[in-house]
Amino acid sequence: MINIAVMGYGTVGSGVVEVINTNGARINQRIGDELNVKYVLDLKDFPGDPVQEKIIHDFDTILGDDDIQIVVEVMGGIEPAYTFVKKCLQAGKSVATSNKALVAAHGAELLSIAAEHNINFLFEASVGGGIPIIRPLNSSLTADEIEEITGILNGTTNYMLTKMFYEGADYDTVLKEAQANGYAERNPEADVEGYDACRKIAILSSLISGQQVDFEDIYCEGITEITVEDMKYAKAMGTTIKLLASSKRYAGNRLHAIVAPCMLYPEHPLYNVNDVFNAIFVHGNVLGDAMFYGSGAGKLPTASAVVADVVDAAKHLNRNIMTMWKEEKLHLEDKADAKRRFFIRIKGDAGEMLPALKESFGEVEIVEVPELKGEFGFITPVMMEGDYETRSKLYKDQILHMIRVEDQK
Ligand code: HSE
């Protein structure tokens, strides 16, 4: 029998217990042994829930029990998760987690402790919910130099943007719906300000570079400024607006990483990724393109990935699955040097302003939404972001909003 402990009985923790109860027989077949949830650690009690007989409140019960070989951490947040996970690994217990904040901040260190003890620290559920992406990067795509990862990595904001785009729904209503559906973080600021997607792209960037990419170094812009008017321009241009988290390789191990709302044309593989779904587009130098698509948030999809990690840990009880992610920090390229087109909404009259705009930005393309009076939009040619910033200063009192355009290469 393989005994495990689950730390945290919230949305994902209860999902983990449910997945094991629902698919236990099949999971046991795959492990070749019987998986047993011995403890569930939580601050609260759950009277009336069958899990109550396993509930414990003291972490040391798990740490001190040599029967526990695998620990699931689904508490979220850095502390006490970090301290608990580190102690478990140092005690020779493998850990499976969905905690992206923990992985983004301490992934390299926790992986190296796991390697020292010949056990595993696994975190498939920390990016893309139920979509396999960590394991593919670690095993299936190891023949490639990954040149680009661009993803819709946050289910809450994708759900919100989809409803705003297709149904003209307002921001506050759709945020409440996402929270009611259990997609949003406890503090939804992490979703709407892009921080959640930023931690996830930091994890993916660390994996493709093999070095530590700090999420604090990644330029991050959320969806709080996206308005109904922006959506109207997007429609007029035949585009949609998505919150993209992207990491692109320039020469060698140099990455440009960014999280920002972007306009996408229908040819872009991420254009049709709607609702709570996530997708990760990967371009490898020998693979070419690949897309990973599926349920990116929510109780059971996330729990599915956590339990799959438990199965993997059970199959490799005394063998470390090597993951290349060193603690050495990777310095990201300056955002000012990234090249793209920009969509700008500006106050004024298109006919009158066109000559000046052409002089400043080059061959711009005008976009008009007849019902929006006293303003218009334009798209710049491809330019460096630093140049855009310099030139747009001339119009700082007129510019209403800038949204980046993500062209498919
Ligand atoms: N709040 C996150 C999301 C949960 O909406 O994607 C999954 O990480």
Side-chain angles (χ1 to χ4, degrees):
M1 182 179 286
I2 295 182
N3 286 298
I4 71 166
V6 178
M7 303 197 293
Y9 196 64
T11 305
V12 183
S14 58
V16 166
V17 172
E18 187 176 333
V19 167
I20 293 171
N21 288 340
T22 309
N23 292 341
R26 182 62 79 194
I27 290 167
N28 291 344
Q29 259 179 5
R30 289 183 177 137
I31 297 176
D33 204 337
E34 192 187 333
L35 191 67
N36 176 49
V37 178
K38 185 167 179 186
Y39 305 120
V40 175
L41 178 73
D42 204 283
L43 292 171
K44 289 190 275 186
D45 282 306
F46 297 85
D49 185 323
V51 82
Q52 180 61 39
E53 65 189 43
K54 302 183 177 193
I55 291 283
I56 54 164
H57 303 298
D58 183 4
F59 167 70
D60 286 336
T61 309
I62 296 171
L63 194 63
D65 188 337
D66 291 339
D67 280 353
I68 299 290
Q69 290 167 290
I70 303 167
V71 177
V72 167
E73 186 281 301
V74 282
M75 298 183 290
I78 302 281
E79 283 296 356
Y82 172 57
T83 304
F84 289 0
V85 167
K86 196 167 168 176
K87 285 187 175 175
C88 286
L89 294 171
Q90 285 167 335
K93 303 176 194 299
S94 287
V95 173
T97 183
S98 61
N99 186 338
K100 51 245 160 174
L102 174 70
V103 178
H106 298 290
E109 183 199 3
L110 296 172
L111 280 168
S112 99
I113 298 173
E116 273 167 36
H117 290 81
N118 227 13
I119 47 162
N120 291 292
F121 175 61
L122 300 167
F123 45 92
E124 181 61 70
S126 65
V127 180
I131 308 171
I133 181 63
I134 306 291
R135 197 166 285 106
L137 287 177
N138 258 342
S139 56
S140 323
L141 301 178
T142 45
D144 268 75
E145 183 77 288
I146 303 299
E147 293 179 335
E148 173 179 349
I149 293 197
T150 298
I152 292 176
L153 297 179
N154 182 266
T156 300
T157 46
N158 203 40
Y159 179 85
M160 292 173 67
L161 290 174
T162 303
K163 294 267 174 184
M164 287 167 76
F165 183 77
Y166 287 102
E167 297 170 19
D170 77 88
Y171 184 94
D172 292 329
T173 310
V174 289
L175 176 56
K176 286 204 183 88
E177 276 176 34
Q179 285 175 296
N181 287 335
Y183 308 146
E185 297 300 301
R186 226 173 297 162
N187 176 4
E189 195 188 34
D191 298 296
V192 295
E193 296 290 358
Y195 308 146
D196 176 75
C198 191
R199 289 190 167 94
K200 291 167 176 169
I201 197 68
I203 294 170
L204 297 180
S205 303
S206 299
L207 289 174
I208 64 167
S209 65
Q211 286 179 236
Q212 175 66 24
V213 173
D214 289 331
F215 67 87
E216 295 94 335
D217 294 345
I218 298 176
Y219 175 79
C220 178
E221 192 180 304
I223 65 160
T224 51
E225 306 288 312
I226 299 292
T227 62
V228 175
E229 287 77 20
D230 295 330
M231 290 294 182
K232 288 185 176 156
Y233 280 102
K235 280 193 175 152
M237 288 162 62
T239 64
T240 189
I241 302 174
K242 297 287 184 194
L243 182 66
L244 297 187
S246 182
S247 196
K248 292 181 186 172
R249 191 181 295 275
Y250 283 66
N253 214 15
R254 291 167 46 194
L255 297 181
H256 266 302
I258 183 168
V259 175
C262 291
M263 287 179 152
L264 301 182
Y265 287 89
E267 298 72 40
H268 196 286
L270 297 171
Y271 177 92
N272 280 315
V273 177
N274 288 321
D275 299 316
V276 70
F277 287 101
N278 281 196
I280 302 121
F281 167 79
V282 178
H283 182 87
N285 68 336
V286 286
L287 161 79
D289 296 345
M291 264 275 275
F292 299 83
Y293 171 85
S295 306
K299 174 174 162 169
L300 291 178
T302 310
S304 157
V306 174
V307 177
D309 275 350
V310 171
V311 171
D312 217 10
K315 284 159 79 176
H316 298 91
L317 274 181
N318 295 302
R319 185 153 65 86
N320 179 251
I321 305 163
M322 224 270 281
T323 302
M324 203 186 75
W325 179 352
K326 290 182 284 182
E327 287 181 63
E328 184 192 340
K329 183 176 159 99
L330 184 78
H331 291 279
L332 295 172
E333 293 298 292
D334 190 340
K335 155 171 95 66
D337 298 335
K339 281 187 188 159
R340 60 170 74 245
R341 298 193 297 154
F342 299 86
F343 164 78
I344 295 114
R345 267 177 64 207
I346 189 164
K347 285 189 269 187
D349 178 81
E352 281 169 21
M353 291 179 75
L354 186 58
L357 292 175
K358 277 190 172 171
E359 196 164 314
S360 306
F361 296 98
E363 273 310 313
V364 298
E365 198 183 310
I366 299 288
V367 191
E368 288 187 287
V369 175
E371 68 191 87
L372 297 177
K373 307 289 181 212
E375 65 166 275
F376 63 99
F378 67 95
I379 310 163
T380 70
V382 173
M383 59 198 303
M384 302 239 270
E385 183 139 351
D387 288 341
Y388 164 75
E389 278 164 11
T390 311
R391 294 176 205 186
S392 63
K393 280 195 183 119
L394 289 172
Y395 303 90
K396 68 176 180 0
D397 295 330
Q398 290 119 296
I399 289 180
L400 295 164
H401 201 183
M402 177 277 276
I403 303 175
R404 294 167 183 81
V405 177
E406 182 75 6
D407 289 305
Q408 180 63 358
K409 309 271 164 344

